[in-house]
Amino acid sequence: MRLSFWRGVIAGSLLGALIGMLLSPPPRKQDERNIFRLVRMSRPSRARRFLRGVSSRVSEYILR
């Protein structure tokens, strides 16, 4: 009973991986727009800078 269960788990995972590879969309080529989007995302956003400032102020209040 236990052996057949584990065989089923292994077979199911292999079949799932195979079907996932076969049905996944082909990788898209990166064009210039995607490269510029990555560059834009790598810069810190206003919200991230704001949160960094807030967290530093909160840390200062805690340490007082």
PDB file of all heavy atoms in Angstrom, residues 11-24:
ATOM      1  N   ALA A  11       5.183   9.428  -9.820  1.00  0.00           N
ATOM      2  CA  ALA A  11       4.683   9.439 -11.199  1.00  0.00           C
ATOM      3  C   ALA A  11       3.849  10.695 -11.461  1.00  0.00           C
ATOM      4  O   ALA A  11       3.959  11.324 -12.523  1.00  0.00           O
ATOM      5  CB  ALA A  11       3.847   8.190 -11.460  1.00  0.00           C
ATOM      6  N   GLY A  12       3.037  11.102 -10.511  1.00  0.00           N
ATOM      7  CA  GLY A  12       2.232  12.302 -10.675  1.00  0.00           C
ATOM      8  C   GLY A  12       3.080  13.555 -10.781  1.00  0.00           C
ATOM      9  O   GLY A  12       2.799  14.447 -11.592  1.00  0.00           O
ATOM     10  N   SER A  13       4.140  13.632  -9.982  1.00  0.00           N
ATOM     11  CA  SER A  13       5.001  14.814 -10.056  1.00  0.00           C
ATOM     12  C   SER A  13       5.754  14.859 -11.375  1.00  0.00           C
ATOM     13  O   SER A  13       5.918  15.931 -11.968  1.00  0.00           O
ATOM     14  CB  SER A  13       5.978  14.851  -8.886  1.00  0.00           C
ATOM     15  OG  SER A  13       6.834  13.719  -8.935  1.00  0.00           O
ATOM     16  N   LEU A  14       6.197  13.707 -11.856  1.00  0.00           N
ATOM     17  CA  LEU A  14       6.876  13.682 -13.155  1.00  0.00           C
ATOM     18  C   LEU A  14       5.921  14.054 -14.288  1.00  0.00           C
ATOM     19  O   LEU A  14       6.289  14.823 -15.182  1.00  0.00           O
ATOM     20  CB  LEU A  14       7.482  12.299 -13.413  1.00  0.00           C
ATOM     21  CG  LEU A  14       8.676  11.933 -12.533  1.00  0.00           C
ATOM     22  CD1 LEU A  14       9.114  10.499 -12.808  1.00  0.00           C
ATOM     23  CD2 LEU A  14       9.821  12.893 -12.768  1.00  0.00           C
ATOM     24  N   LEU A  15       4.712  13.515 -14.240  1.00  0.00           N
ATOM     25  CA  LEU A  15       3.737  13.867 -15.277  1.00  0.00           C
ATOM     26  C   LEU A  15       3.378  15.351 -15.213  1.00  0.00           C
ATOM     27  O   LEU A  15       3.240  16.010 -16.244  1.00  0.00           O
ATOM     28  CB  LEU A  15       2.476  13.016 -15.126  1.00  0.00           C
ATOM     29  CG  LEU A  15       2.582  11.571 -15.606  1.00  0.00           C
ATOM     30  CD1 LEU A  15       1.310  10.813 -15.257  1.00  0.00           C
ATOM     31  CD2 LEU A  15       2.833  11.537 -17.094  1.00  0.00           C
ATOM     32  N   GLY A  16       3.234  15.884 -14.024  1.00  0.00           N
ATOM     33  CA  GLY A  16       2.920  17.301 -13.869  1.00  0.00           C
ATOM     34  C   GLY A  16       4.033  18.188 -14.405  1.00  0.00           C
ATOM     35  O   GLY A  16       3.774  19.197 -15.072  1.00  0.00           O
ATOM     36  N   ALA A  17       5.283  17.810 -14.136  1.00  0.00           N
ATOM     37  CA  ALA A  17       6.405  18.592 -14.650  1.00  0.00           C
ATOM     38  C   ALA A  17       6.462  18.516 -16.169  1.00  0.00           C
ATOM     39  O   ALA A  17       6.702  19.521 -16.846  1.00  0.00           O
ATOM     40  CB  ALA A  17       7.714  18.090 -14.049  1.00  0.00           C
ATOM     41  N   LEU A  18       6.221  17.343 -16.715  1.00  0.00           N
ATOM     42  CA  LEU A  18       6.252  17.171 -18.169  1.00  0.00           C
ATOM     43  C   LEU A  18       5.148  17.980 -18.839  1.00  0.00           C
ATOM     44  O   LEU A  18       5.397  18.693 -19.811  1.00  0.00           O
ATOM     45  CB  LEU A  18       6.105  15.685 -18.524  1.00  0.00           C
ATOM     46  CG  LEU A  18       6.122  15.341 -19.999  1.00  0.00           C
ATOM     47  CD1 LEU A  18       7.500  15.618 -20.572  1.00  0.00           C
ATOM     48  CD2 LEU A  18       5.744  13.893 -20.199  1.00  0.00           C
ATOM     49  N   ILE A  19       3.949  17.912 -18.315  1.00  0.00           N
ATOM     50  CA  ILE A  19       2.831  18.672 -18.887  1.00  0.00           C
ATOM     51  C   ILE A  19       3.081  20.167 -18.737  1.00  0.00           C
ATOM     52  O   ILE A  19       2.796  20.955 -19.645  1.00  0.00           O
ATOM     53  CB  ILE A  19       1.503  18.246 -18.225  1.00  0.00           C
ATOM     54  CG1 ILE A  19       1.144  16.826 -18.663  1.00  0.00           C
ATOM     55  CG2 ILE A  19       0.382  19.208 -18.572  1.00  0.00           C
ATOM     56  CD1 ILE A  19      -0.033  16.237 -17.952  1.00  0.00           C
ATOM     57  N   GLY A  20       3.642  20.584 -17.610  1.00  0.00           N
ATOM     58  CA  GLY A  20       3.959  21.991 -17.403  1.00  0.00           C
ATOM     59  C   GLY A  20       4.976  22.504 -18.410  1.00  0.00           C
ATOM     60  O   GLY A  20       4.874  23.621 -18.909  1.00  0.00           O
ATOM     61  N   MET A  21       5.970  21.687 -18.726  1.00  0.00           N
ATOM     62  CA  MET A  21       6.968  22.104 -19.717  1.00  0.00           C
ATOM     63  C   MET A  21       6.371  22.153 -21.108  1.00  0.00           C
ATOM     64  O   MET A  21       6.700  23.032 -21.908  1.00  0.00           O
ATOM     65  CB  MET A  21       8.169  21.163 -19.689  1.00  0.00           C
ATOM     66  CG  MET A  21       9.058  21.352 -18.488  1.00  0.00           C
ATOM     67  SD  MET A  21      10.626  20.483 -18.600  1.00  0.00           S
ATOM     68  CE  MET A  21      10.122  18.803 -18.844  1.00  0.00           C
ATOM     69  N   LEU A  22       5.494  21.210 -21.416  1.00  0.00           N
ATOM     70  CA  LEU A  22       4.924  21.168 -22.760  1.00  0.00           C
ATOM     71  C   LEU A  22       3.904  22.271 -22.995  1.00  0.00           C
ATOM     72  O   LEU A  22       3.801  22.802 -24.100  1.00  0.00           O
ATOM     73  CB  LEU A  22       4.263  19.805 -23.008  1.00  0.00           C
ATOM     74  CG  LEU A  22       5.215  18.617 -23.128  1.00  0.00           C
ATOM     75  CD1 LEU A  22       4.417  17.336 -23.266  1.00  0.00           C
ATOM     76  CD2 LEU A  22       6.146  18.798 -24.305  1.00  0.00           C
ATOM     77  N   LEU A  23       3.143  22.635 -21.974  1.00  0.00           N
ATOM     78  CA  LEU A  23       2.083  23.611 -22.147  1.00  0.00           C
ATOM     79  C   LEU A  23       2.486  25.043 -21.815  1.00  0.00           C
ATOM     80  O   LEU A  23       1.695  25.956 -22.018  1.00  0.00           O
ATOM     81  CB  LEU A  23       0.868  23.222 -21.293  1.00  0.00           C
ATOM     82  CG  LEU A  23       0.189  21.906 -21.669  1.00  0.00           C
ATOM     83  CD1 LEU A  23      -0.990  21.655 -20.759  1.00  0.00           C
ATOM     84  CD2 LEU A  23      -0.255  21.922 -23.122  1.00  0.00           C
ATOM     85  N   SER A  24       3.698  25.242 -21.317  1.00  0.00           N
ATOM     86  CA  SER A  24       4.110  26.605 -20.983  1.00  0.00           C
ATOM     87  C   SER A  24       4.388  27.381 -22.259  1.00  0.00           C
ATOM     88  O   SER A  24       4.847  26.822 -23.256  1.00  0.00           O
ATOM     89  CB  SER A  24       5.355  26.588 -20.100  1.00  0.00           C
ATOM     90  OG  SER A  24       6.449  26.054 -20.826  1.00  0.00           O
TER      91      SER A  24
END
